[in-house]
Amino acid sequence: MVQRILKLRCESLESRHLLTQFGIPWPEPSALTISFPRDGTDIGRFPSDLAANMDGLALDMEWQEAILAGFQEWARYANIEFALAPDDGSRFGTLGLAQGDPRFGDIRVGGFNQTDVLANSLPYGRSVGSWAGDLFFNTTPGLYGEKAADLQTVALHEAGNILGLADNLNPDSILYQYYSGTHQHLSATDIAAIQALYGPRPADRFEITSNGSLSTATSIHVRRMEAETTGEITPDGDVDFYRVTVPENATAAQVRLEAQGESLLVGQLDIYHEDGTQFGSSDADGPLFNDVSIDLDNPPGGQPIFIGIRAESDDDHEMFGFGRYGLEIEFFSNFPGFDGEEEDEGDDDDDGPEIPDDDFDDDDDDGPEIPDDGFDDDDDNDDFKSVDQLFARVGLIDLETQANNSLETATVLTTPPGFVEGTRYEAVGSLASTSDVDVYRIRSSDSPDPLLHLDASPVGSALEVGLTLLNTAGETLAESSPRIDGHASLVYSNVAPNTEYFVRVTRSPTNDASEGNYVLLADFGQENVPLEVIAAGTLDSTETEKSGQLHVGTTQLFQLSFSVSAEDPHAEAAVVLQIYNDAGERIFVTTARNGQQLTEYVWLNRGSYVARLTAITPDGEPIPNMTFELKGAGISDDIGPYPIDTTQEPQADAYGGYGTGGYYDYFFEWCSGSSSFCFYYDPIYDYWYYVYR
């Protein structure tokens, strides 16, 4: 028997408010990156298996292209640009920059077996760390393919959520809450919604006047045998032409259209003589490989050549016919090893010298070789290695060795866009020698979280780093402990408001690497977010354990806040939180010590779970009086697999849900010991109920 009772007044309960916060735009929407981590990358307790599931499907295009097409459709209408980025295989949710982390894309795409959803995603948010923007497809066999759900449609829906738009109940919208067939384009309602958040896609940002013909071509100048510019192909059939004069002494040239890392443009590169005769043309293979290059032998010295850039004409890549690009022209003369009389081995062209290998082309023996870019499907480890390869080519981000090695010369960090001032700081830096030290200055907010979290992670090298937190007098407040993976982290628990602190980054003395790059994060705790109180109570020597049931109506990523305190703040005691599924398997465990507050993330599929809290002390000492609080909320947003019939009467769900053919996201039932009375919290109506068993 279940009865509603008067709302309990023993504590103030927050109104039902999903932690998934929509309507917050990304800080830099014109520079959003997407990456595909390799299979096996940890998604909480699940390893990603997206590629293994998708590679065997018969799709009209490569599955990665179908997903990218879903994102690109939003960029067609709004001030947004997407580009591919490499991914180093760091676990999902790892500490990272809010946007622009060099280890992986802002949006990471993975997959695992979920229940009753097609996919889950997280919009940009200030409280969810690097989970923000991540997309997880349900890899249960049979969900996607020719006779199942359309992958591009699901990606289009989830991309809207990631950009900050909430689901709706308009069947004509791609943001309709349930999957209802193939829809690969936006409705007028969707376009209005995305433009309200980001503004419409602007006109060509790089054109002062039109350069859509040979006669109006933009002139670019050669300096030291090189010329370069930046441009954009807009979605309206745009064409860009450039004019460059070939140096008198040039005997060969290479023209490069560089879109990788800039946009998802699949472009075509054409070369013309002054009379309009075309003498070179090449196009990109697709959005995964969208750089293009053309090698020229004996270009007309002292004469102009014209370069045209347009969208590739292949219908398969119609969705990728716009985006930002870079154009580079490099002229060659007097190559090393070339004497003008004898060709090197392998040169088949008698009309000009062989272009030396300069790492730009994979397959053509007659031209430069392109290095591994981390997106080659033939190498299972490419995505994992790509960040190392990227930084091996780029080298150190910062070559200084003494510029910011003291408190007086410390680099002043500022709070990144989208965060409350003084709550978060980020930096990407380098240790350029064995003796190099970097010092940063940060300031807490007027009302900071009492905990400061510091984390430094090496990027693209075997560098091992150490962290030290200092006050303005140079006194050490906390130091990191060395870790095998090269990372360093520390937590300082006595933060004062509106106070300056200094962070010193050093190389570990046992580290063999003499230099390397790193990412630094300083986080003064989460912002005040609407987490629901799941359970709160006390434990002592007479009652050392409590348990309750968590009923989850749809697969979600949950954020949990778990705090413990004893009457004696110095008591050596802790509370262990364990979550078990309905098969009795423990799927999550964490321990909060006296005075500690933890933030944890856990994926829960639809179903019922048991949460067990147990008080412990070292060596069996008596349990002191301890207070605990467990708060949480679902932070991901899903697309349901089935349409609903709105003419049906509301149906009760096996997990307590109640809706038009649907169910609640979650509710929690809390029982004390062996009591026959249990309470559960309904986040829809913000009521506690009791259940007599």
Side-chain angles (χ1 to χ4, degrees):
M1 178 179 179
V2 178
Q3 299 179 7
R4 173 172 288 194
I5 61 173
L6 185 66
K7 185 175 178 181
L8 296 179
R9 299 297 180 184
C10 58
E11 59 179 311
S12 176
L13 295 176
E14 299 149 321
S15 62
R16 202 270 184 175
H17 189 157
L18 274 179
L19 186 58
T20 307
Q21 296 180 348
F22 295 101
I24 302 175
W26 284 80
E28 300 291 341
S30 61
L32 285 168
T33 58
I34 302 171
S35 66
F36 292 90
R38 66 174 183 174
D39 275 8
T41 299
D42 289 337
I43 307 173
R45 60 193 175 94
F46 302 101
S48 181
D49 60 356
L50 181 64
N53 181 269
M54 296 295 179
D55 282 345
L57 298 180
L59 300 174
D60 292 338
M61 62 176 72
E62 293 292 334
W63 61 268
Q64 295 101 325
E65 291 190 11
I67 293 171
L68 294 175
F71 283 91
Q72 187 76 341
E73 175 70 358
W74 294 98
R76 181 183 300 275
Y77 298 101
N79 186 19
I80 299 167
E81 196 77 79
F82 296 106
L84 277 175
D87 198 294
D88 74 345
S90 295
R91 62 180 175 82
F92 282 88
T94 193
L95 287 171
L97 302 186
Q99 186 179 352
D101 197 297
R103 295 169 294 174
F104 39 72
D106 305 319
I107 299 160
R108 305 179 75 193
V109 184
F112 63 96
N113 193 312
Q114 303 168 53
T115 305
D116 287 341
V117 298
L118 289 170
N120 259 289
S121 62
L122 290 93
Y124 177 77
R126 306 178 182 97
S127 63
V128 297
S130 68
W131 287 107
D134 291 349
L135 168 57
F136 306 98
F137 288 92
N138 186 349
T139 55
T140 301
L143 284 183
Y144 295 100
E146 291 181 345
K147 298 182 179 180
D150 177 64
L151 183 63
Q152 184 175 333
T153 298
V154 175
L156 182 60
H157 173 103
E158 296 297 337
N161 292 155
I162 288 169
L163 290 170
L165 301 180
D167 290 353
N168 59 47
L169 293 177
N170 177 3
D172 296 328
S173 169
I174 191 60
L175 294 169
Y176 182 50
Q177 186 172 348
Y178 294 90
Y179 181 82
S180 57
T182 299
H183 301 280
Q184 297 183 349
H185 299 284
L186 301 183
S187 68
T189 301
D190 300 325
I191 294 171
I194 197 66
Q195 290 183 348
L197 194 57
Y198 292 97
R201 188 175 182 92
D204 194 327
R205 288 160 275 200
F206 302 96
E207 282 187 18
I208 298 176
T209 58
S210 174
N211 62 350
S213 66
L214 291 177
S215 61
T216 60
T218 300
S219 294
I220 51 179
H221 302 287
V222 178
R223 294 180 177 86
R224 296 182 180 179
M225 302 292 282
E226 294 182 354
E228 62 182 16
T229 191
T230 303
E232 179 182 7
I233 296 299
T234 54
D236 54 2
D238 186 24
V239 180
D240 290 346
F241 283 93
Y242 298 93
R243 181 184 189 274
V244 60
T245 300
V246 179
E248 293 280 1
N249 60 338
T251 54
Q254 185 177 81
V255 182
R256 299 189 292 270
L257 170 62
E258 298 184 339
Q260 190 166 300
E262 295 288 339
S263 71
L264 298 178
L265 170 68
V266 178
Q268 178 173 314
L269 184 62
D270 300 313
I271 313 294
Y272 300 88
H273 288 294
E274 191 172 12
D275 62 3
T277 304
Q278 186 181 94
F279 67 102
S281 182
S282 184
D283 53 42
D285 292 334
L288 296 171
F289 304 93
N290 59 346
D291 283 352
V292 183
S293 66
I294 296 177
D295 298 330
L296 302 177
D297 290 334
N298 295 322
Q303 300 297 314
I305 60 172
F306 291 80
I307 301 165
I309 298 174
R310 69 187 73 226
E312 189 230 6
S313 57
D314 190 340
D315 290 342
D316 289 342
H317 296 139
E318 178 186 1
M319 296 292 293
F320 306 103
F322 61 93
R324 206 168 44 227
Y325 63 83
L327 174 64
E328 294 189 2
I329 307 102
E330 186 172 6
F331 296 99
F332 302 94
S333 178
N334 301 323
F335 301 119
F338 177 73
D339 58 14
E341 298 177 0
E342 181 179 353
E343 290 182 343
D344 289 335
E345 183 179 353
D347 185 47
D348 300 322
D349 190 346
D350 293 334
D351 296 328
E354 180 185 14
I355 297 178
D357 183 358
D358 60 359
D359 293 339
F360 282 99
D361 188 339
D362 286 331
D363 307 317
D364 188 353
D365 291 336
D366 297 325
E369 178 181 279
I370 297 176
D372 184 357
D373 55 11
F375 295 107
D376 188 346
D377 291 335
D378 296 332
D379 186 344
D380 291 338
N381 294 320
D382 273 347
D383 284 348
F384 181 70
K385 297 186 299 185
S386 56
V387 171
D388 286 342
Q389 294 165 347
L390 173 67
F391 280 91
R393 296 200 296 268
V394 172
L396 295 179
I397 298 170
D398 184 2
L399 296 177
E400 63 79 23
T401 57
Q402 302 296 328
N404 64 341
N405 62 342
S406 67
L407 271 61
E408 292 75 16
T409 60
T411 299
V412 179
L413 298 183
T414 58
T415 302
F419 290 86
V420 172
E421 186 67 30
T423 61
R424 183 179 174 94
Y425 297 92
E426 304 173 347
V428 179
S430 305
L431 296 178
S433 70
T434 56
S435 61
D436 191 16
V437 174
D438 289 346
V439 181
Y440 298 91
R441 188 171 73 190
I442 59 177
R443 178 180 288 274
S444 61
S445 67
D446 292 335
S447 54
D449 188 291
L451 297 179
L452 168 60
H453 301 261
L454 289 176
D455 183 86
S457 304
V459 180
S461 73
L463 181 70
E464 296 175 7
V465 294
L467 287 172
T468 305
L469 180 67
L470 308 164
N471 61 19
T472 54
E475 299 168 333
T476 297
L477 302 177
E479 289 185 288
S480 64
S481 300
R483 287 169 46 178
I484 297 175
D485 58 5
H487 294 232
S489 61
L490 65 83
V491 178
Y492 179 62
S493 59
N494 194 26
V495 174
N498 195 25
T499 300
E500 282 190 348
Y501 295 93
F502 292 85
V503 181
R504 185 166 59 206
V505 183
T506 58
R507 169 184 165 276
S508 172
T510 60
N511 190 197
D512 293 334
S514 61
E515 60 182 33
N517 301 306
Y518 62 84
V519 170
L520 172 67
L521 300 173
D523 193 340
F524 284 96
Q526 309 284 348
E527 291 188 60
N528 184 24
V529 294
L531 294 176
E532 317 286 2
V533 177
I534 295 176
T538 60
L539 296 170
D540 54 31
S541 57
T542 63
E543 187 177 27
T544 62
E545 183 175 289
K546 287 185 177 181
S547 63
Q549 281 195 312
L550 176 63
H551 303 279
V552 178
T554 181
T555 299
Q556 286 189 82
L557 176 66
F558 282 79
Q559 179 176 326
L560 302 177
S561 175
F562 181 38
S563 59
V564 172
S565 61
E567 291 181 355
D568 178 2
H570 303 293
E572 292 288 333
V575 176
V576 180
L577 168 63
Q578 302 175 85
I579 299 178
Y580 296 83
N581 62 19
D582 56 8
E585 301 167 327
R586 189 175 73 177
I587 62 170
F588 176 80
V589 61
T590 190
T591 301
R593 300 186 302 274
N594 179 19
Q596 190 174 25
Q597 178 177 334
L598 303 177
T599 298
E600 303 282 0
Y601 299 88
V602 58
W603 279 99
L604 297 177
N605 278 324
R606 182 172 186 246
S608 293
Y609 299 85
V610 172
R612 182 173 297 149
L613 293 105
T614 307
I616 59 172
T617 55
D619 303 323
E621 294 292 325
I623 303 293
N625 292 332
M626 303 184 69
T627 300
F628 67 86
E629 183 179 61
L630 177 63
K631 300 171 72 176
I635 62 174
S636 61
D637 187 72
D638 64 89
I639 179 172
Y642 308 113
I644 59 173
D645 183 352
T646 55
T647 64
Q648 292 180 353
E649 291 296 320
Q651 301 293 316
D653 181 84
Y655 297 100
Y658 204 66
T660 309
Y663 40 77
Y664 290 157
D665 287 338
Y666 56 90
F667 70 89
F668 196 84
E669 183 178 34
W670 187 250
C671 306
S672 176
S674 59
S675 170
S676 297
F677 287 89
C678 300
F679 293 93
Y680 75 79
Y681 176 63
D682 171 7
I684 300 292
Y685 293 103
D686 190 16
Y687 268 80
W688 285 88
Y689 297 75
Y690 76 81
V691 181
Y692 179 76
R693 294 193 178 283

